[in-house]
Amino acid sequence: MSALPMPAPSFLHHYAGLPDRFFESVIPAKAPKPELIRINESLAAELGLDAEWLRSDEGLAMLSGSGLPDGAKPIAQAYAGHQFGGWVPQLGDGRAILLGEVTHEDGSPRDIQLKGSGRTPFSRGGDGKSPLGPVLREYLVSEAMAALGVPTTRALAAVATGETVYRDEALPGAVFTRVASSHIRVGTFQFFYAREDVEGLRTLVDFVIDRHYPDLKESENRDEELLKAVIRRQASLIAKWMQLGFIHGVMNTDNMTVSGETIDFGPCAFIDEFHPETVFSSIDRQGRYAWINQPVAGNWNLARFAETLLPLFSDDREEAVRIAERCLHEFETIFNDSYFDGFADKLGLSGAAEMTRPFIEKTLGLMAESSVDFTVFFNSLTRFCFEGVPLELPESEGWKSWLEEWQKWKSEDVEVLERMKFSNPVIIPRNHRVEEAIQAGMKGDFSVFNRLVEALANPYEECEEFADLKLPPASREKVTATFCGT
Ligand code: AMP
Ligand code: MG
C-alpha cells in the first residue's frame, strides 16, 4: 500500500493582498546543503502543519528557502523606524521573507517567515543571511518566553544551510522560521506617515484592527481606540519582561510590534545578578535600553506610533495632538499597575498598593545592593513558602529587617501564594547556557541546544534532570555582552 501524499501547508495571503507599496516580491536564496536542526512539533500541530512533511525533502526545501511549495508568495515587508533614537526612513525586511499565513487552531492567522534566506530589495549593504548563532539564540529565547507566558513570536524551525557566511569571521549559515501573529511594527506605520501616505495609514489601521483588535471594528473612535489598545498591550508586555529580568536590548521602533508580541531576539538577555542598569547589548553603549529604562523606551516608541496616527485623529493638528497626548498619558498608570501587580505576585503579596509598592521597591533596591541572582532569589521565596526550604539571604541588617517585613506583608491566602509558582520560574535561558549551546552547535553538536530547548519548555517546574541549567554562571562563565550577530 502506498503512503498517502503528505500535505504541504496551504498559505493564505492577507498581507500580500495589500497594495504594492506595502512590500516587495522576492525569491529566497537556495541553500547548498540544507540540514534540519530542529522542528517545533507542538507549534506545528497548533498551526495544522504536518511535522512529517516539514521533515521531508520538500519541507526542508521550504524551511531553508531553497524551494517553496505551490501557494507560497514570498515577500519582504516595507517599514521604517527609529534606531537608538535616530530616524531611518527605510528599513524593511532585509533578511526576512514572509511566505504567507496559516491558520492557528485558535482560528486566527499566523505569519510564516524565513529569516536568513538571502537578499531582498531592503537588504542595503547586507547579505540577507544569518549565521547559526543568532538562529539558535532566537529559537531558545523566543520559545522560553512563550513557555514563560510572555506574548512573543515563536520558533517553528531552525535549519543549517551548509553555506559559510562572513561577518568578522567565517561562520556556518542557518535559516530560522519565525511564526508571528503579524510582523507589523510601529515602524510599519512610520513608513507611511513619513511618506504622508494617509491612505496607506488607513489601510494599515484596518488591517491591524481586523487581525489583532477585532473588538474595535465597530468602535466610533477606532484610531484612538487602536492607539490605546496598543499602549495597553505594550505596557503589559514590558512589565512582564521586567518581572522575569529580561532585557530586550534593541527596543527600536522597528522592533516593536503593534500586536504586543516580543519580537527580535538579537542582543537580548536575562539578568543573572540583579542590577537595574544592566545592559548586555554590545551596541547599546549609552544604556538606552537597560532593564530599568525599558518603560521609558516603550513610552517613547508609543509616542512615535501616536504621531503616525495624527492625520487620522483629526484634520485639526492641535486637536489631533491633544487626543494623542491623552492616550499616551495612560501609559504610566497602566505600566505601573502591571509592573507592581506582577511583582506582588512574585512576592506573594496581596495588600493595597500604598503598602506593597514601597516594599517591592525596597526589595529590588536591596537585591541590587547585594547583587543577588534575580531568578534564584524569587524562586527561593516560592520554595520557602511551598516546600519549607530555608531562605538563604545575604547576611545583613537590611535583609534581616526585610525578612521580618516580608513575613508581615506576605498573604495568608493560598490563591495569592499559588500565583508565586507561576510568576517565579525555576529556569530561564541563562546567557552562559545559550552561549554554550551556540558554541557546541557551531561544532555540529546540537545536543546541548536540544537539551536546553527541552528544559525551557516547562520553566515553572522543578526537574532533577535539568538541575544544572538552573544555576547562575560561575564567574568564569559570565557573559557580559551579547551581539546582534546579523
Ligand atoms: P534588526 O537589527 O534585526 O532589527 O535589523 C535592522 C535592519 O537591518 C532590518 O531592516 C533588517 O532587515 C536589516 N538587516 C539586519 N541584518 C541584515 C543582513 N544580514 N542582511 C540584510 N539586512 C539585514
Ligand atoms: Mg528588527
Side-chain angles (χ1 to χ4, degrees):
M1 220 168 65
S2 64
L4 288 171
M6 288 180 283
S10 49
F11 288 110
L12 304 167
H13 299 290
H14 297 294
Y15 198 89
L18 291 174
D20 288 350
R21 60 195 190 284
F22 280 69
F23 59 87
E24 299 277 350
S25 295
V26 278
I27 297 171
K30 284 201 172 17
K33 195 168 166 285
E35 273 177 54
L36 189 64
I37 299 169
R38 192 174 179 96
I39 294 234
N40 187 339
E41 301 218 358
S42 66
L43 180 60
E46 286 174 38
L47 298 171
L49 300 176
D50 186 330
E52 220 176 303
W53 184 85
L54 291 172
R55 287 181 192 286
S56 71
D57 288 348
E58 258 183 285
L60 194 56
M62 179 182 88
L63 297 172
S64 62
S66 301
L68 300 183
D70 290 344
K73 215 185 240 180
I75 60 164
Q77 290 173 299
Y79 56 86
H82 278 92
Q83 299 192 310
F84 292 92
W87 170 242
V88 188
Q90 180 165 309
L91 287 160
D93 291 330
R95 53 150 175 184
I97 297 176
L98 179 67
L99 301 183
E101 299 107 359
V102 296
T103 307
H104 187 268
E105 62 187 9
D106 72 9
S108 61
R110 294 287 189 281
D111 282 5
I112 306 289
Q113 191 196 56
L114 304 180
K115 267 183 88 179
S117 61
R119 291 181 54 82
T120 79
F122 302 110
S123 297
R124 293 167 292 167
D127 60 1
K129 303 278 165 74
S130 176
L132 176 66
V135 168
L136 299 184
R137 172 184 292 277
E138 178 155 359
Y139 197 119
L140 283 164
V141 185
S142 65
E143 283 308 298
M145 291 293 259
L148 287 162
V150 182
T152 178
T153 63
R154 303 287 308 267
L156 180 64
V159 170
T161 57
E163 187 174 32
T164 303
V165 296
Y166 297 91
R167 297 295 179 260
D168 287 340
E169 51 190 323
L171 296 164
V175 174
F176 177 76
T177 305
R178 179 160 69 186
V179 176
S181 67
S182 88
H183 285 85
I184 301 171
R185 307 142 191 271
V186 167
T188 317
F189 280 80
Q190 290 182 293
F191 180 87
F192 295 98
Y193 176 68
R195 285 158 183 75
E196 296 182 26
D197 182 350
V198 178
E199 218 24 68
L201 285 169
R202 286 214 173 88
T203 304
L204 199 53
V205 166
D206 286 343
F207 188 91
V208 168
I209 288 181
D210 202 48
R211 169 103 43 127
H212 301 296
Y213 302 94
D215 294 352
L216 302 185
K217 260 187 216 163
E218 307 301 329
S219 165
E220 263 178 54
N221 305 314
R222 304 161 79 233
D223 309 311
E224 188 180 336
E225 291 301 325
L226 174 64
L227 173 58
K228 285 188 191 158
V230 174
I231 289 173
R232 276 196 294 275
R233 286 204 194 164
Q234 281 294 337
S236 121
L237 177 69
I238 295 167
K240 283 207 171 78
W241 290 351
M242 293 176 77
Q243 284 145 18
L244 293 164
F246 179 74
I247 303 169
H248 181 283
V250 257
M251 291 177 70
N252 295 333
T253 56
D254 55 306
N255 292 336
M256 181 184 253
T257 60
V258 294
S259 65
E261 287 179 344
T262 313
I263 195 169
D264 244 294
F265 296 85
C268 63
F270 284 79
I271 289 183
D272 295 305
E273 275 175 16
F274 179 63
H275 293 286
E277 295 79 25
T278 306
V279 180
F280 289 102
S281 168
S282 61
I283 50 173
D284 188 2
R285 292 191 189 88
Q286 314 283 325
R288 182 180 171 97
Y289 301 137
W291 180 85
I292 189 74
N293 291 343
Q294 296 184 109
V296 178
N299 201 359
W300 191 88
N301 290 349
L302 290 163
R304 304 288 76 73
F305 178 50
E307 208 163 68
T308 70
L309 298 174
L310 292 177
L312 307 186
F313 287 159
S314 169
D315 292 335
D316 175 351
R317 180 83 181 183
E318 275 176 33
E319 172 59 12
V321 170
R322 264 196 300 277
I323 295 172
E325 282 175 348
R326 198 166 58 220
C327 298
L328 288 165
H329 189 70
E330 292 178 16
F331 176 87
E332 194 178 333
T333 312
I334 301 169
F335 171 78
N336 278 332
D337 288 350
S338 230
Y339 176 85
F340 285 109
D341 286 355
F343 272 107
D345 286 350
K346 289 174 80 70
L347 289 160
L349 314 177
S350 61
E354 308 84 77
M355 265 119 61
T356 54
R357 289 187 182 188
F359 180 67
I360 289 166
E361 279 177 337
K362 185 181 196 171
T363 307
L364 291 168
L366 261 182
M367 288 171 68
E369 252 173 54
S370 35
S371 306
V372 300
D373 183 89
F374 188 91
T375 306
V376 168
F377 172 75
F378 284 108
N379 184 243
S380 72
L381 303 183
T382 315
R383 301 192 66 184
F384 171 78
C385 290
F386 289 90
E387 297 158 46
V389 178
L391 275 182
E392 283 180 40
L393 297 172
E395 297 275 345
S396 78
E397 282 308 311
W399 279 108
K400 224 186 254 167
S401 75
W402 178 88
L403 183 57
E404 280 167 23
E405 234 186 295
W406 181 52
Q407 304 274 28
K408 196 171 77 194
W409 294 127
K410 192 157 60 67
S411 177
E412 300 285 307
D413 185 339
V414 188
E415 252 173 64
V416 174
L417 292 180
E418 197 69 22
R419 292 209 283 269
M420 293 176 80
K421 287 189 190 166
F422 303 99
S423 310
N424 297 330
V426 175
I427 179 171
I428 49 151
R430 291 190 185 269
N431 300 322
H432 66 299
R433 293 302 183 182
V434 172
E435 208 43 53
E436 186 182 49
I438 291 172
Q439 291 310 322
M442 303 253 276
K443 294 188 189 114
D445 170 11
F446 294 103
S447 64
V448 183
F449 166 76
N450 284 322
R451 178 168 182 257
L452 193 51
V453 172
E454 280 149 33
L456 290 165
N458 297 301
Y460 297 106
E461 276 169 39
E462 261 326 313
C463 178
E464 227 8 80
E465 189 192 343
F466 300 127
D468 56 318
L469 300 177
K470 297 192 312 197
L471 302 175
S475 55
R476 68 184 155 74
E477 291 174 322
K478 271 185 199 159
V479 174
T480 51
T482 51
F483 304 88
C484 284
T486 56

